[in-house]
Amino acid sequence: MIHGKLSLQNWRTAEVSGEAPQSYFESYNLRLFFYGTLYNKDTLHAKADDTFAHLAADAFLSDKLVGFSRLDGSFTIIYFSENECGVVRDMHGTHYSVYFKRDGEFATSFAYFLQNADTFPIDKKVLSHALQRGLTPASTSVSLDIYRLEAGCHLQLGNEYQMLSMLKNAGAGLNSIEEVKAFSPMIYDACKGTVNAVIPLPNDIEADAYRPVVEKNPDVEAYSQRYGELHRQAIYRRIGNSSRVGILLSGGYDSGSNLAALRQIYDGEIDSYSIGFKGDTWTELPMARLMSDTFGTRHHEYEIDGTEINALPDIVRFLNEPFVEGGLMVNYCAMRMIGDDKPQVILGGDGSDQYFGTSAREIALHYIAARTGISPLLRGLNNFLNSRTFAADSKLPRINFHLDKILHIMEGERFGFSDNDMCKLLQYPGDDFEVFPTPQSDIRSFAHLYTQHALVSDLKIVIDRVILYKASRMAQMFGNNLTFPFMDLELYRFLKELPVNLKCKGDNVWKIARGQFVSKYLLKHHYKPLLPEAVTAKKKQGGFAPMPLFFCNAMRRAHLKDFILSSSIYDDYLNRDSVEQFLNSYDREASQQSSWFWLRQNRALQYFNLLTLVTWWEEFVEHKEVQY
């Protein structure tokens, strides 16, 4: 953990406490502490003896507005100068989480702020969002007076109020005042001794964000060759001179592409790691073994059986905040499996889907509904179905499941409790529940909406706050050096300029709406000849964990039920009767294996959300060390 306070007084002697920095830079006008690593020393024209701190300082001094955005890595930077000081997080926030207060005090642990406080002001609206979505809203924490610095953002204190040009970058292409206002809760009065602003790093992730690239007849082979070059370069930057490399292997295109590209530039020892699920007929472990055999890795496997839920209190303590996502336990088990015999670097395939863009079918349906004027009708049907309870074998829950994804396409995955459920679960729903706004859909064309979704949902929510957050934090929990080649800055810039029809290839929006398209087209085009046919020919079926597995044991559920119902969280927040009704209902449904998979999956995620929130409450509010 690192902690300190942003202050312009005595800036020449300001210190950062806790963990020692990876490197440090000082000149007559700047002091900079660098934690983490940089991958793009080549594009920064680094000399052999340049430290990461020196490179970061050069980038900042060359251009104080955009300098830091030239850095590609996993890092936290703290700097002090005569006119400003600040904290900077890497583009996707894969290094430490950062929390701060209005007076400029910051730390990489939420628990740090609780050390000298018996109680803290709880933001119940944030807790409710976590109960519904599995994560807290952007820039918030569970405390009213503690904030979280988001991925790719810069917390700044300065003598002058420098927001105008920065907000211009933040809002470029958004065509929405509300999106700019999303930063306003974090923009404080520009007075000495208080934080001036939290700003997104003004890189080209934000600039001209919704300008889709469309080419009728793109040169697929030229794009494919360049993509392969950039991907191999991204891997080389991350493995450096490592003599032993690890790789997470799921049996799909992304991890397989990482392995194929790695073998083109590296002939050393590779350890591959795969996770499966006991009794899962959709397991991808055979495909992972096939790729291990094809590319010559030392393979390791672990099958989840559901008892891993007992590790949830340890995860909650480490994360400091309530967080749930279907793959969280997969990441936990993968990082735990590696143990003490660690490769020097481990490659993960995370983020590739989202850089290319996901949910094409739902985006197409959202676009068609908006352009044909039937969106109000669909919203009415969605609201009606949300307010009713239907049998598990009814088709109506399936209809509503898909309606919810189509109508709320900009909000990321909405697994968890519905708005109607939340009103029942909370004692004071009007005070403790708030629907956070999302930007208006850009329906000028399917390409515009697809590009907007890639930025707002895929990148800013799914990559930054879900996928890379859980993967990097679980790696930190076990001291593993996990890195993500698909998140390379140059690769991102290449994909940003890639024609939409090479990301999602379909003849027209109507066919895409019927599921007739190829996602990640360029990646598949490039790597299909290099991967085993059994892998490239199979229908995608992985990418999620069967969550009911964690709650299939009746004795375990009874124990967890006692724990949940014995919590003090019902004193002034949750409605105990409604929670008990949910738990009893889950017990009845647990034996109904014939019900639709995604209905059972969503109910299990609701259980996971509730269990996580109660665990967090007992740990951080009641200061009890929880064990199931």
Side-chain angles (χ1 to χ4, degrees), residues 486-545:
F486 288 115
M487 299 295 96
D488 186 81
L489 184 57
E490 281 196 86
L491 198 55
Y492 166 78
R493 288 172 174 158
F494 169 79
L495 291 174
K496 180 177 178 292
E497 299 300 324
L498 186 69
V500 171
N501 50 336
L502 291 185
K503 298 177 182 179
C504 167
K505 188 172 180 58
D507 291 341
N508 56 60
V509 68
W510 293 94
K511 288 190 175 182
I512 293 173
R514 291 195 291 269
Q516 298 172 12
F517 65 93
V518 179
S519 61
K520 292 186 299 190
Y521 175 77
L522 187 67
L523 180 146
K524 293 175 179 177
H525 175 84
H526 182 82
Y527 282 106
K528 184 176 181 179
L530 304 177
L531 298 178
E533 184 179 358
V535 172
T536 61
K538 76 177 181 63
K539 183 179 179 181
K540 181 178 175 60
Q541 51 193 21
F544 53 82

Side-chain angles (χ1 to χ4, degrees), residues 94-107:
T94 57
H95 198 240
Y96 297 142
S97 298
V98 176
Y99 301 87
F100 66 96
K101 288 189 171 184
R102 294 183 64 132
D103 63 358
E105 187 177 13
F106 65 88

Side-chain angles (χ1 to χ4, degrees), residues 60-166:
F60 172 68
L61 292 172
S62 68
D63 192 325
K64 293 185 178 181
L65 281 180
V66 302
F68 286 131
S69 67
R70 297 171 184 160
L71 307 177
D72 186 14
S74 179
F75 57 78
T76 304
I77 297 171
I78 299 99
Y79 71 96
F80 299 88
S81 68
E82 183 177 7
N83 295 318
E84 69 173 280
C85 55
V87 181
V88 181
R89 295 191 70 197
D90 64 79
M91 185 169 76
H92 291 304
T94 57
H95 198 240
Y96 297 142
S97 298
V98 176
Y99 301 87
F100 66 96
K101 288 189 171 184
R102 294 183 64 132
D103 63 358
E105 187 177 13
F106 65 88
T108 56
S109 169
F110 175 81
Y112 168 80
F113 292 103
L114 309 184
Q115 292 176 352
N116 299 316
D118 293 331
T119 61
F120 59 94
I122 297 173
D123 191 333
K124 294 178 182 177
K125 292 180 180 178
V126 168
L127 289 186
S128 297
H129 192 278
L131 184 58
Q132 185 177 34
R133 299 296 183 84
L135 73 165
T136 58
S139 305
T140 67
S141 83
V142 290
S143 174
L144 287 165
D145 61 357
I146 300 173
Y147 305 91
R148 185 180 65 239
L149 185 63
E150 290 301 306
C153 283
H154 176 179
L155 174 65
Q156 180 194 80
L157 185 151
N159 284 333
E160 298 180 0
Y161 198 51
Q162 303 174 5
M163 282 304 300
L164 186 59
S165 61
M166 296 166 183

Side-chain angles (χ1 to χ4, degrees), residues 386-575:
N386 277 333
S387 65
R388 298 293 188 274
T389 301
F390 301 99
D393 58 352
S394 168
K395 291 184 179 180
L396 292 176
R398 301 190 187 197
I399 294 172
N400 201 38
F401 174 85
H402 293 297
L403 271 179
D404 209 55
K405 294 188 71 173
I406 294 165
L407 292 170
H408 303 281
I409 193 66
M410 292 300 163
E411 300 176 33
E413 295 290 358
R414 286 171 55 90
F415 297 118
F417 292 101
S418 68
D419 293 354
N420 188 58
D421 292 332
M422 292 299 297
C423 291
K424 296 176 183 177
L425 289 171
L426 302 176
Q427 287 191 27
Y428 311 103
D431 297 327
D432 298 339
F433 181 55
E434 178 178 345
V435 178
F436 289 81
T438 54
Q440 184 176 355
S441 300
D442 185 346
I443 57 170
R444 285 177 284 176
S445 69
F446 169 77
H448 278 87
L449 186 59
Y450 188 88
T451 305
Q452 182 193 27
H453 177 267
L455 172 70
V456 174
S457 177
D458 284 332
L459 198 155
K460 286 301 182 184
I461 298 177
V462 180
I463 287 182
D464 290 356
R465 298 176 52 217
V466 179
I467 290 180
L468 294 192
Y469 171 77
K470 66 183 175 69
S472 59
R473 294 291 280 153
M474 290 300 94
Q476 291 162 11
M477 186 174 181
F478 290 95
N480 295 318
N481 181 20
L482 178 63
T483 185
F484 312 99
F486 288 115
M487 299 295 96
D488 186 81
L489 184 57
E490 281 196 86
L491 198 55
Y492 166 78
R493 288 172 174 158
F494 169 79
L495 291 174
K496 180 177 178 292
E497 299 300 324
L498 186 69
V500 171
N501 50 336
L502 291 185
K503 298 177 182 179
C504 167
K505 188 172 180 58
D507 291 341
N508 56 60
V509 68
W510 293 94
K511 288 190 175 182
I512 293 173
R514 291 195 291 269
Q516 298 172 12
F517 65 93
V518 179
S519 61
K520 292 186 299 190
Y521 175 77
L522 187 67
L523 180 146
K524 293 175 179 177
H525 175 84
H526 182 82
Y527 282 106
K528 184 176 181 179
L530 304 177
L531 298 178
E533 184 179 358
V535 172
T536 61
K538 76 177 181 63
K539 183 179 179 181
K540 181 178 175 60
Q541 51 193 21
F544 53 82
M547 300 302 289
L549 180 65
F550 297 105
F551 306 111
C552 63
N553 183 281
M555 291 183 62
R556 185 184 306 129
R557 284 200 314 275
H559 179 71
L560 294 176
K561 180 179 178 180
D562 288 342
F563 165 73
I564 291 171
L565 293 178
S566 65
S567 172
S568 67
I569 199 170
Y570 309 102
D571 291 348
D572 63 352
Y573 178 49
L574 290 185
N575 183 314

Side-chain angles (χ1 to χ4, degrees), residues 2 10 86 288 509 622:
I2 55 179
N10 303 318
V509 68
E622 295 300 323

Side-chain angles (χ1 to χ4, degrees), residues 192-213:
K192 193 172 184 180
T194 61
V195 175
N196 277 24
V198 175
I199 57 175
L201 293 182
N203 54 32
D204 51 359
I205 285 180
E206 300 291 351
D208 200 15
Y210 296 171
R211 181 179 59 84
V213 178

